[in-house]
Amino acid sequence: MGKSTGYDGAVLLLDLESCLGAQPKLQTVRTKVPALMAAAQPVERVVAACASSRIELDRRAELIRLGVDLHLVGDERDAADIALLQVAEAWAGKGCRRFVVASSDGRFARLAQFGRLEVLVWESKSPPLSKVLKAAGQVRRVPVPGTRIPVQSSPAKPAHQPLLTIVPDGSRDPVGERPGVPGRMLGDWSSKAAVTFAAGVLFGAGSAFGSAMVNRAVNRGI
């Protein structure tokens, strides 16, 4: 039998606003995302998308810490769904044949043409019967975890380096191309550095002026 060149793993797609809500709390990210990841196993990749204006910096950092590839999009309607579909179709081109989706949006029904489609829904909710649920080979109802943050919340180290992707739109996201350092932090550091530099210059100038006055006084015999 010849060696397979296809991709045999699976991809979990998280529509964050759909499965976590807009502006999710940090506790929600820490508890619900691992629950969805556990329910989807086995998967090789976890990809999430959300409008950059609807998720805070610490929530973004937590997703990346959990091993999630995060795609930040603009506020255009369905932008997150479109970004996830583009990722899924790219993986389908690599040979991926299993897609797990945490969303009830009907757009994801088209992934069934590439292989097996599975949908995750919260056990406490009854999502409307949409195209994606009808097209799914399996619908998994996931128990809603408590909001208490686990004592040991550190996930296993992912097999790949999680990514933060900024999808360009009309308004550029201030996080920019430095996924490891939030833009706000860079701004604060730059401001503090500028103040420190200015203070150093003034202090140095004052010291030089004071030394000059002392030397002048000594020369005059005061």
Side-chain angles (χ1 to χ4, degrees), residues 151-176:
V151 175
Q152 295 180 343
S153 59
S154 298
K157 185 176 181 180
H160 68 285
Q161 180 64 37
L163 304 174
L164 172 60
T165 303
I166 311 298
V167 180
D169 65 337
S171 57
R172 191 177 183 84
D173 183 40
V175 175

Side-chain angles (χ1 to χ4, degrees), residues 38 68 84 173 183 207 213-214 220:
V68 177
L84 290 175
D173 183 40
S207 299
M213 291 299 292
V214 170
R220 286 186 174 185

Side-chain angles (χ1 to χ4, degrees), residues 6 17 35 41 71 82 84 104 122 124 137 152 164 174 183 196 207 211 214-215 217 222:
E17 190 166 358
Q41 292 302 319
H71 292 251
I82 294 172
L84 290 175
S104 58
W122 293 117
S124 62
Q152 295 180 343
L164 172 60
T196 303
S207 299
S211 298
V214 170
N215 291 333
I222 298 176

Side-chain angles (χ1 to χ4, degrees), residues 87-108:
V87 171
E89 291 177 4
W91 280 103
K94 298 177 182 179
C96 180
R97 294 295 177 263
R98 177 172 172 259
F99 303 89
V100 187
V101 178
S103 175
S104 58
D105 192 286
R107 288 175 177 267
F108 293 102

Side-chain angles (χ1 to χ4, degrees), residues 23 59 145:
Q23 298 291 357
R59 282 70 155 177

